[in-house]
């Protein structure tokens, strides 16, 4: 069952009922000011950091789900309704929500009045615009009152929901004309305030939640709206909000637009006040003046659309498959950008408080994002690297605002360092900007202690070499990619964190080893060697290759279980992911990375491992993490065995590493297999089962419940997941076969044999390549010939050009 449809020409998903199986959201903002907005206008916004600079308050885990947002109430006689249905939940005559690229347009109509709420963050502005466009579609004049509503957060989102004894006393606002200013804590150490404006005179306002909503009525029927009269309340402590009342008369056919703005202003210390205690409003007023007229708003929306076209046009596919085309051209790269911006911080499943930017997450996000905005990728790489230590280890997470490593979680996740090499290699292949490697980058964000980025990459690699266990395989540390495989934790008490707990009586941390990290080293290490060679550092490259060879051998000697690759050795040296165990006999991760690394290609192990994946892990909804699922808690494994079977890391389907198997299948030339796996988790292909899938059909979710779960096939944790980058990477590079390489663009498709032809338009370095692939011989893989601008070339590497469009004919 569906709850809407794709409008590809407009690059929108159109939701046709407000009661979706879960709130289906979109993201606003592309630079510093961001918001999430659901199909019923729920959500919140923040400036740069969802934890430290939260502008609007949101109550996670509320009932009904998603019940706070930027709401507009229409009081039309006795009827009170919202264009987005919530919070009043008054039935509408028409409802539609269009989630587009960086904007959302929600339309509701009732009793002949049509109300459209257009929400976006204009480029260059630290503010959300909400334009309300009201049209009287009836034959009579309409007299209505429009009430806006948004609730301010007292900035630090964590403290905001913990420290009520203080926070109920600090709230302060100012109101001037149609603008409500939220200035809590501005009197002391803060140099920022928020504002909520509208571009027309108002007939009333409220700034205090209780005065507006009443203490017992709530947002479904706010007291002021029911009365048809704002109270003119001034918040003083308690909960500051912004609400405007605008009374309107609309002739039949008449349209009126009101433009609201929720913005953020930061001021230098000496300019904070215009007179004692009164905030300096000049910057806010200048922002507001930029969105005064309809023309300005339209132009800003057009600019935003043009910005997105620019980003998305870097890679565009034409082929016979509509669903694939919309994933590749629109929604997957869009999600990659959002995930790059947010890392894992703010969604309906990430509270904006828990995690800042993850070292491994952000590094992997680069794989799917780098071609859209290489300059931003460059900055991110340097930021990530700066949270690394001299020994190559690193902080697992860092806060976007301070860019400092997060001490609460610390380090010790031994896969982290390698991902930095992968992300940087992707950047170098895309841009050819080898100069980045000579940038001086701090260790532990200490500007007095730096090394070049190249030294950081080498430290990453050396970290693996100097942290090997008894079998010569990499020590796992706290965990590798699978955050829940906590082999050194041995936690017995529920109040301990699986991520950080170190049991003083626990095992020797220099025993448990990861075959996944081994596979990663063999898969990613060659990029380091290639970079060293290209820089003329022959000896270093040689050293790197020797260590890769040692690791490959260690996997062959100690990482093979007979029909698949082992997953790990635990802290007692026992095999994990082995037929010798009763549960967790086979895991997806090591099959994916070891085959991607090319281990076992020559002697059939790789093929066998993938057959085992197909027969033991694959389901109709994708490949589960492992089988059999753990039925009870195992002290030596940690969080993985804490989840009920089928959910999350206990045998859920992770959309993040399903593509590892797709990539592995392409190593063996299995284009049909790779694409059939792709279709199982790609959201557009799951749209028809939205009632089961539950999450948005336009973006990946982190996890789909596995076959052991009562809700097999149901997705969770949509939007912020490495699934975006990895799926994009694998479909565009391994399957469609357009692969950036250090010295040019490489063409090496691995497709289903019944694909006849397709075209990819790829902007790369300074030129644009129009690549037409034809497959008359029904091959899955194997380039027979390539001509560039009519000239036959040898090999599969397209030459670099200084400009222009170039025609590339590829015959398989
Ligand atoms: C989740 C993991 C996640 C980790 C982050 C765990 O509870 O299951 O998916 O990576 O928390 O801290
Ligand atoms: C989510 C985390 O963000 C990511 O870093 C981790 O690899 C996966 N969960 C798997 O545990």
């Amino acid at each position: 069952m569906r709850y809407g449809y794709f409008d590809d020409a407009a690059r929108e998903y159109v939701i046709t009922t407000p009661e979706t199986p879960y709130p289906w959201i979109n993201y606003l903002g592309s630079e510093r000011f961001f918001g999430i907005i659901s199909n019923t206008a729920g959500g919140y916004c923040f400036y740069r950091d969802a934890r430290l600079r939260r502008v609007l308050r949101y109550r996670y885990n509320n009932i009904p789900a998603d019940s706070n947002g930027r709401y507009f109430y229409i009081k039309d006689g006795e009827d009170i309704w919202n264009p987005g249905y919530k919070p009043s939940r008054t039935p509408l005559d028409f409802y539609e929500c269009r989630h587009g690229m960086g904007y959302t347009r929600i339309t509701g109509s009732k009793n002949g009045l049509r109300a459209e709420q257009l929400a976006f963050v204009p480029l260059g502005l630290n503010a959300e615009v909400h334009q309300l466009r009201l049209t009287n579609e009836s034959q009579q004049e309409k007299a209505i009152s429009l009430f806006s509503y948004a609730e301010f957060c007292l900035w630090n989102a964590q403290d905001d929901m913990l420290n009520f004894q203080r926070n109920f006393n600090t709230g302060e606002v100012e109101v001037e004309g149609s603008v409500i200013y939220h200035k809590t804590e501005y009197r002391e150490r803060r140099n920022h305030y928020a504002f909520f404006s509208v571009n027309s005179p108002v007939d009333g306002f409220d700034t205090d939640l209780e005065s507006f909503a009443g203490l017992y009525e709530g947002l479904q029927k706010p007291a002021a709206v029911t009365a048809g009269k704002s109270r003119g309340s001034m918040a003083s402590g308690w909960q500051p909000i912004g609400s405007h009342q605008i009374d309107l008369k609309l002739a039949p056919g008449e349209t009126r637009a009101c433009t609201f703005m929720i913005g953020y202003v930061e001021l230098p210390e000496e300019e904070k006040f215009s007179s004692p205690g009164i905030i300096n409003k000049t910057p806010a007023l200048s922002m507001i003046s930029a969105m005064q007229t309809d023309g300005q708003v339209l132009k800003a929306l057009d600019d935003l659309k043009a910005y997105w076209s620019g980003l998305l046009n870097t890679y565009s596919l034409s082929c016979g498959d509509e669903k694939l085309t919309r994933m590749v051209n629109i929604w997957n790269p869009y999600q990659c950008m959002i995930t790059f911006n947010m890392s894992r911080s703010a969604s309906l499943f990430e509270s904006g408080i828990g995690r800042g930017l993850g070292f491994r997450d952000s590094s992997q996000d680069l794989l799917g994002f780098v071609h859209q905005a290489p300059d931003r990728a460059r900055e991110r790489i340097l930021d990530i690297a700066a949270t690394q230590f001299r020994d190559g280890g690193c902080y697992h997470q860092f806060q976007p605002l301070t860019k400092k490593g997060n001490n609460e979680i610390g380090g010790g996740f031994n896969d982290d360092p390698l991902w930095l090499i992968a992300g940087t290699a992707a950047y170098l292949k895309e841009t050819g900007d080898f100069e980045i490697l000579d940038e001086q980058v701090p260790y532990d964000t200490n500007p007095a202690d730096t090394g070049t980025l190249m030294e950081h990459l080498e430290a990453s690699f050396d970290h693996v070499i100097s942290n090997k266990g008894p079998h010569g395989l990499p020590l796992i540390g706290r965990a590798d990619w699978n955050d829940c495989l906590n082999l050194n934790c041995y936690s017995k008490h529920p109040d301990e964190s699986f991520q950080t707990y170190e049991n003083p009586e626990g095992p020797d941390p220099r025993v448990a080893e990861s075959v996944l990290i081994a596979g990663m080293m063999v898969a990613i290490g060659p990029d380091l060697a290639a970079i060293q060679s290209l820089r003329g550092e022959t000896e270093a490259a040689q050293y790197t290759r020797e260590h890769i060879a040692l690791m490959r051998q260690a996997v062959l000697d100690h990482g093979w279980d007979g029909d698949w690759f082992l997953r790990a050795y635990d802290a007692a040296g026992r095999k994990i992911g082995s037929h010798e165990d009763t549960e967790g006999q086979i895991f997806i991760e090591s099959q994916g990375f070891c085959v991607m690394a090319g281990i076992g290609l020559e002697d059939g192990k790789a093929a066998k491992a993938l057959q085992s994946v197909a027969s033991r892990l694959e389901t109709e909804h994708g490949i589960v993490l492992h089988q059999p699922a753990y039925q009870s808690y195992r002290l030596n494994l940690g969080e993985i065995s804490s989840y009920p079977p089928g959910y999350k890391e206990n045998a859920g389907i992770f959309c993040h590493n399903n593509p590892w198997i797709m990539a592995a299948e392409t190593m063996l030339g299995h284009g049909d297999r790779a694409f059939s796996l792709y279709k199982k988790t790609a959201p557009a292909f799951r749209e028809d089962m939205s009632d089961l899938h539950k999450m948005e059909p336009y973006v990946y979710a982190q996890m789909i419940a596995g076959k052991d779960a009562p809700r097999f096939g149901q997705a969770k944790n949509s939007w912020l997941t490495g699934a975006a980058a990895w799926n994009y990477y694998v479909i565009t590079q391994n399957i469609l076969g357009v692969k950036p390489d250090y010295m040019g663009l490489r063409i090496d498709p691995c497709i289903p044999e019944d694909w006849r032809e397709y075209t990819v338009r790829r902007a790369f370095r300074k030129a644009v390549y129009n690549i037409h692939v034809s497959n008359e011989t029904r091959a899955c893989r194997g380039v027979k010939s390539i001509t560039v601008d009519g000239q036959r070339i040898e090999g599969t590497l397209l030459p670099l050009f200084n400009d222009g469009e170039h025609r590339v004919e590829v015959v398989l």
Side-chain angles (χ1 to χ4, degrees), residues 607-625:
K608 209 171 208 183
L610 294 184
Q611 280 153 17
S612 299
V613 168
S615 63
R616 290 170 181 260
L617 299 180
E618 191 177 338
T619 77
E620 66 204 273
H621 296 294
I623 304 166
V624 298
L625 274 192

Side-chain angles (χ1 to χ4, degrees), residues 344 355 360-361 481-484 649 654 702:
R344 307 296 174 271
R355 306 196 266 168
R360 83 155 77 89
D361 293 331
W481 173 88
N482 189 330
D483 267 335
C484 300
E649 279 85 347
F654 268 66
Q702 179 201 54

